[in-house]
Amino acid sequence: MSEFDTNIPTTFDPFAEANAEDSGAGTKEYVHVRVQQRNGRKSLTTVQGLKKEYSYSKILKDLKKEFCCNGTVVEDPELGQVIQLQGDQRKNVSTFLVQARIVKKENIKIHGF
Amino acid sequence: MADEAQIDVKEEVPDIAPFDPTKKKKKKKTTVVDLDDDSVDKLAEKTENLSVSEGFDSTLAGAKKKKKKPVDISNLIDESVDAKNEDLDDLAEEDDQDAVSLQPRYPWEGSDRDYQYEELLGRVFNILRENNPELAGDRRRTVMRPPQVLREGTKKTVFVNFMDLCKTMHRQPDHVMAFLLAELGTSGSLDGQQRLVVKGRFAPKNFEGILRRYVNEYVICLGCKSPDTILSKENRLFFLRCEKCGSGRSVAQIKAGFVARVGRRTAGGT
């Protein structure tokens, strides 16, 4: 019996739960960027699904500064925090998030027309 | 109605193309076959021939041909490279069939080298396309009509041929509607004549983009690209099964996501 025990490598456990960086690739956590119509030709951009670790208010501040628009962080009971920006900023937001390496390009989903 | 006709014609063109330009094909073929025969013999004569054929071409077809010619000149030095390049050209210019059919019939004609896989593949597909084009499989059989959109008042949009499109995609109107509304981020409903009424102003192009995404996600089979699929629900999960190749996959549920509060708030609040 003791022979078997010695054979088992100790450093790597193949049956351990996949976690941390591995799971990120498999379960695509999309960042949804949506646009919503308001009255007239005004619209609203919402960014949903950013990782919890990021400071939303800081991202928002940069977004606002970059696109010269106003915006807020909205608390949603189901979806958590959502960034809202004034105007149709979908393209801007996605390029910004990719450039700042906050989200990978394939994890951004742009909705709307 | 005019739109429909247009679209139909556009879809039809690639089908007809291989047969139609017969005169061009013939002329070009003679010249290039010349070239190929020569290439076995001498280099000097080749260049001569080339210049002749070049003049001939420019009278025939113009700029397009000229662009093509230089490639041939540089490649005539090495035959195998020549053949390969032609094949690449074939692949690249899939859309304008004129150019393809203007190539020599078979690149290996006049030489006793081995056939290359791409050449043989191209030959098979050419023959297939000529004899029974429905087997070639390189055409879009599904013709989606462009969405017809009306404005109802200033704040609502009516999607007139919504039902039609659902039928062509073989999808439940409910499912398509859920997707459309989720993507548009608005609310809407079907009216008495089975038209979709959506709140907000939208252009036909907007609907088209979303429908395109819908088709990609919920209609097209990933394996064989055929739109001949069935969407079924098996214990709360949606599955897509292809009728052509039998493959299946699961598709994501439609989720509306976050919808910001737009418009006036009521005094009482929620």
Side-chain angles (χ1 to χ4, degrees), chain B residues 149-193:
Chain B
V149 163
L150 297 177
R151 180 70 48 73
E152 188 178 293
T154 51
K155 294 200 168 162
K156 280 184 185 167
T157 311
V158 183
F159 191 161
V160 178
N161 55 355
F162 174 67
M163 273 299 169
D164 262 10
L165 289 173
C166 290
K167 278 201 189 102
T168 51
M169 290 189 294
H170 306 291
R171 285 293 168 275
Q172 292 300 316
D174 294 351
H175 191 255
V176 184
M177 191 173 97
F179 184 80
L180 273 178
L181 295 181
E183 284 293 299
L184 291 170
T186 55
S187 52
S189 57
L190 289 175
D191 73 352
Q193 300 156 35

Coordinates of all heavy atoms in Angstrom, one line a residue, chain B residues 149-193:
Chain B
V149 N -41.1 49.2 -42.3 CA -41.4 49.9 -41.0 C -42.2 51.1 -41.3 O -41.9 51.9 -42.2 CB -40.0 50.2 -40.4 CG1 -40.2 51.3 -39.3 CG2 -39.4 49.0 -39.8
L150 N -43.2 51.3 -40.4 CA -44.0 52.5 -40.5 C -43.9 53.2 -39.2 O -43.6 52.6 -38.1 CB -45.5 52.1 -40.7 CG -45.8 51.4 -42.1 CD1 -47.3 51.1 -42.1 CD2 -45.5 52.3 -43.2
R151 N -44.2 54.5 -39.2 CA -44.2 55.3 -38.0 C -45.7 55.4 -37.6 O -46.5 55.8 -38.4 CB -43.6 56.6 -38.2 CG -43.5 57.5 -37.0 CD -42.5 57.0 -36.0 NE -41.2 56.7 -36.5 CZ -40.3 57.5 -36.9 NH1 -40.6 58.8 -36.9 NH2 -39.2 57.1 -37.3
E152 N -45.9 55.1 -36.3 CA -47.3 55.3 -35.9 C -47.2 56.4 -34.9 O -46.7 56.3 -33.8 CB -47.8 54.0 -35.2 CG -49.3 54.1 -34.8 CD -49.7 52.8 -34.1 OE1 -49.8 51.8 -34.8 OE2 -50.0 52.8 -32.9
G153 N -47.7 57.6 -35.3 CA -47.6 58.8 -34.5 C -46.1 59.2 -34.5 O -45.4 59.0 -35.6
T154 N -45.6 59.7 -33.5 CA -44.2 60.0 -33.5 C -43.4 59.1 -32.6 O -42.1 59.1 -32.7 CB -44.0 61.5 -33.0 OG1 -44.7 61.6 -31.7 CG2 -44.5 62.5 -34.0
K155 N -44.0 58.4 -31.7 CA -43.3 57.6 -30.7 C -43.3 56.1 -30.9 O -42.7 55.4 -30.1 CB -43.8 58.0 -29.3 CG -43.5 59.5 -29.0 CD -43.5 59.7 -27.5 CE -43.0 61.0 -27.2 NZ -43.4 61.5 -25.9
K156 N -44.1 55.7 -31.9 CA -44.2 54.2 -32.0 C -43.8 53.8 -33.4 O -44.0 54.6 -34.4 CB -45.6 53.8 -31.7 CG -45.9 53.7 -30.3 CD -47.3 53.1 -30.1 CE -47.6 53.1 -28.6 NZ -49.1 52.9 -28.5
T157 N -43.2 52.7 -33.5 CA -42.8 52.2 -34.8 C -43.5 50.9 -35.1 O -43.6 50.0 -34.2 CB -41.3 51.9 -34.8 OG1 -40.7 53.1 -34.3 CG2 -40.8 51.7 -36.2
V158 N -44.0 50.7 -36.3 CA -44.8 49.5 -36.6 C -43.9 48.7 -37.6 O -43.5 49.2 -38.6 CB -46.1 49.8 -37.3 CG1 -46.9 48.5 -37.6 CG2 -46.9 50.7 -36.4
F159 N -43.7 47.4 -37.2 CA -42.9 46.5 -38.0 C -43.9 45.7 -38.8 O -44.5 44.8 -38.3 CB -42.0 45.7 -37.1 CG -41.0 44.8 -37.8 CD1 -39.9 44.3 -37.0 CD2 -41.0 44.6 -39.1 CE1 -39.0 43.6 -37.6 CE2 -40.0 43.8 -39.7 CZ -39.0 43.3 -38.9
V160 N -44.0 46.0 -40.1 CA -45.2 45.5 -40.9 C -45.0 44.0 -41.2 O -45.9 43.2 -40.9 CB -45.4 46.3 -42.2 CG1 -46.5 45.7 -42.9 CG2 -45.7 47.7 -41.8
N161 N -43.9 43.6 -41.8 CA -43.8 42.2 -42.2 C -43.0 41.3 -41.2 O -42.3 40.4 -41.5 CB -43.1 42.2 -43.6 CG -41.7 42.8 -43.5 OD1 -41.3 43.5 -42.5 ND2 -41.0 42.7 -44.6
F162 N -43.3 41.6 -40.0 CA -42.7 40.8 -38.9 C -43.1 39.4 -39.0 O -42.2 38.5 -38.9 CB -43.2 41.4 -37.5 CG -42.8 40.7 -36.3 CD1 -41.5 40.6 -36.0 CD2 -43.7 40.0 -35.6 CE1 -41.1 39.9 -34.9 CE2 -43.3 39.3 -34.4 CZ -42.0 39.3 -34.1
M163 N -44.4 39.1 -39.2 CA -44.8 37.7 -39.3 C -44.2 37.0 -40.4 O -43.8 35.8 -40.3 CB -46.3 37.7 -39.5 CG -47.1 37.7 -38.1 SD -46.7 36.3 -37.1 CE -47.4 36.8 -35.6
D164 N -44.1 37.7 -41.6 CA -43.4 37.1 -42.7 C -42.0 36.6 -42.4 O -41.6 35.5 -42.7 CB -43.3 38.2 -43.8 CG -44.4 38.1 -44.8 OD1 -45.4 37.3 -44.5 OD2 -44.4 38.7 -45.9
L165 N -41.3 37.5 -41.7 CA -39.9 37.2 -41.4 C -39.8 36.0 -40.5 O -39.0 35.2 -40.6 CB -39.2 38.4 -40.9 CG -39.0 39.5 -41.9 CD1 -38.5 40.8 -41.2 CD2 -38.0 39.1 -42.9
C166 N -40.7 36.0 -39.5 CA -40.7 34.9 -38.6 C -41.0 33.6 -39.3 O -40.3 32.6 -39.0 CB -41.8 35.1 -37.5 SG -41.5 36.4 -36.4
K167 N -41.8 33.7 -40.3 CA -42.1 32.4 -41.1 C -40.9 32.0 -41.9 O -40.6 30.8 -42.0 CB -43.3 32.7 -42.0 CG -44.6 32.5 -41.2 CD -45.8 32.2 -42.1 CE -47.1 32.3 -41.3 NZ -47.8 33.5 -41.5
T168 N -40.2 33.0 -42.5 CA -39.1 32.6 -43.3 C -38.0 32.0 -42.4 O -37.2 31.2 -42.9 CB -38.5 33.7 -44.1 OG1 -38.3 34.8 -43.3 CG2 -39.5 34.1 -45.2
M169 N -37.9 32.5 -41.2 CA -36.9 31.9 -40.3 C -37.3 30.7 -39.6 O -36.6 30.0 -38.9 CB -36.5 33.0 -39.3 CG -35.8 34.2 -39.8 SD -35.1 35.2 -38.5 CE -36.6 35.8 -37.8
H170 N -38.6 30.3 -39.7 CA -39.2 29.2 -39.0 C -39.0 29.4 -37.5 O -38.6 28.5 -36.8 CB -38.6 27.9 -39.4 CG -38.7 27.7 -40.9 ND1 -39.9 27.4 -41.5 CD2 -37.8 27.7 -41.8 CE1 -39.7 27.3 -42.8 NE2 -38.4 27.4 -43.0
R171 N -39.4 30.5 -37.0 CA -39.3 30.8 -35.6 C -40.6 31.3 -35.0 O -41.4 31.9 -35.7 CB -38.2 31.8 -35.3 CG -36.8 31.3 -35.4 CD -36.5 30.3 -34.3 NE -35.2 29.7 -34.6 CZ -35.1 28.6 -35.4 NH1 -36.2 28.1 -36.0 NH2 -33.9 28.0 -35.6
Q172 N -40.8 31.0 -33.8 CA -42.0 31.5 -33.1 C -41.9 33.0 -33.0 O -40.9 33.6 -32.6 CB -42.1 30.9 -31.7 CG -42.4 29.5 -31.6 CD -43.7 29.1 -32.3 OE1 -44.7 29.8 -32.1 NE2 -43.6 28.1 -33.1
P173 N -43.0 33.7 -33.4 CA -43.0 35.2 -33.3 C -42.7 35.6 -31.9 O -42.1 36.7 -31.7 CB -44.5 35.5 -33.7 CG -44.9 34.4 -34.5 CD -44.2 33.2 -34.0
D174 N -43.2 34.9 -30.9 CA -42.9 35.3 -29.5 C -41.4 35.4 -29.2 O -40.9 36.3 -28.6 CB -43.5 34.2 -28.5 CG -45.0 34.2 -28.6 OD1 -45.5 35.1 -29.2 OD2 -45.6 33.3 -28.0
H175 N -40.7 34.4 -29.7 CA -39.3 34.3 -29.5 C -38.6 35.5 -30.1 O -37.7 36.1 -29.5 CB -38.7 33.0 -29.9 CG -37.4 32.7 -29.5 ND1 -36.3 32.8 -30.4 CD2 -36.8 32.3 -28.3 CE1 -35.2 32.4 -29.7 NE2 -35.5 32.2 -28.5
V176 N -38.9 35.7 -31.4 CA -38.3 36.7 -32.2 C -38.6 38.1 -31.5 O -37.7 39.0 -31.4 CB -38.8 36.7 -33.6 CG1 -38.1 37.8 -34.4 CG2 -38.5 35.4 -34.2
M177 N -39.8 38.2 -31.1 CA -40.3 39.5 -30.5 C -39.5 39.7 -29.2 O -39.0 40.8 -28.9 CB -41.8 39.4 -30.2 CG -42.4 40.7 -29.8 SD -44.1 40.6 -29.7 CE -44.4 40.4 -28.0
A178 N -39.4 38.7 -28.4 CA -38.6 38.8 -27.1 C -37.2 39.3 -27.4 O -36.7 40.2 -26.7 CB -38.6 37.5 -26.4
F179 N -36.6 38.7 -28.4 CA -35.2 39.1 -28.7 C -35.2 40.6 -29.2 O -34.4 41.4 -28.7 CB -34.7 38.2 -29.8 CG -33.2 38.4 -30.1 CD1 -32.3 37.9 -29.3 CD2 -32.9 39.2 -31.2 CE1 -30.9 38.2 -29.6 CE2 -31.6 39.5 -31.5 CZ -30.6 38.9 -30.7
L180 N -36.1 40.9 -30.1 CA -36.1 42.3 -30.7 C -36.3 43.3 -29.5 O -35.5 44.3 -29.5 CB -37.2 42.4 -31.7 CG -36.9 42.0 -33.1 CD1 -38.2 42.2 -33.9 CD2 -35.8 42.9 -33.7
L181 N -37.2 43.0 -28.7 CA -37.5 44.0 -27.6 C -36.4 44.1 -26.6 O -36.0 45.2 -26.2 CB -38.8 43.7 -26.9 CG -40.1 43.8 -27.8 CD1 -41.3 43.4 -27.1 CD2 -40.2 45.1 -28.4
A182 N -35.8 43.0 -26.4 CA -34.7 43.0 -25.4 C -33.5 43.8 -26.0 O -32.8 44.6 -25.3 CB -34.2 41.6 -25.1
E183 N -33.3 43.6 -27.3 CA -32.1 44.3 -27.9 C -32.4 45.8 -28.1 O -31.5 46.6 -27.9 CB -31.8 43.7 -29.3 CG -31.1 42.4 -29.2 CD -29.7 42.5 -28.7 OE1 -28.9 43.2 -29.3 OE2 -29.5 41.9 -27.6
L184 N -33.6 46.1 -28.4 CA -34.0 47.5 -28.6 C -34.1 48.2 -27.2 O -34.0 49.4 -27.2 CB -35.3 47.6 -29.4 CG -35.2 47.2 -30.8 CD1 -36.6 47.2 -31.4 CD2 -34.4 48.2 -31.6
G185 N -34.3 47.4 -26.2 CA -34.5 48.0 -24.9 C -35.8 48.8 -24.7 O -35.8 49.8 -24.0
T186 N -36.8 48.3 -25.4 CA -38.1 49.0 -25.3 C -39.2 48.0 -25.0 O -38.9 46.8 -24.8 CB -38.5 49.8 -26.5 OG1 -38.4 48.9 -27.6 CG2 -37.5 50.9 -26.8
S187 N -40.4 48.5 -25.1 CA -41.5 47.5 -25.0 C -42.3 47.6 -26.3 O -42.1 48.5 -27.0 CB -42.4 48.0 -23.8 OG -42.7 49.3 -23.9
G188 N -43.1 46.6 -26.4 CA -43.9 46.5 -27.7 C -44.8 45.4 -27.6 O -44.8 44.6 -26.7
S189 N -45.7 45.3 -28.7 CA -46.6 44.2 -28.7 C -47.1 43.9 -30.1 O -46.8 44.7 -31.0 CB -47.9 44.6 -27.8 OG -48.4 45.8 -28.3
L190 N -47.8 42.9 -30.3 CA -48.4 42.6 -31.6 C -49.8 43.2 -31.7 O -50.5 43.2 -30.7 CB -48.5 41.1 -31.8 CG -47.2 40.3 -32.0 CD1 -47.5 38.8 -32.0 CD2 -46.5 40.7 -33.3
D191 N -50.1 43.8 -32.8 CA -51.4 44.4 -32.9 C -52.3 43.5 -33.6 O -52.0 42.3 -33.9 CB -51.3 45.8 -33.6 CG -51.0 45.7 -35.1 OD1 -50.8 44.5 -35.5 OD2 -51.1 46.7 -35.8
G192 N -53.5 44.0 -34.0 CA -54.6 43.1 -34.6 C -54.2 42.5 -35.8 O -54.6 41.3 -36.1
Q193 N -53.4 43.1 -36.7 CA -53.0 42.5 -37.9 C -51.6 41.8 -37.8 O -50.9 41.7 -38.8 CB -52.9 43.6 -39.0 CG -54.2 44.3 -39.2 CD -54.0 45.7 -39.8 OE1 -53.1 45.9 -40.6 NE2 -54.8 46.6 -39.4

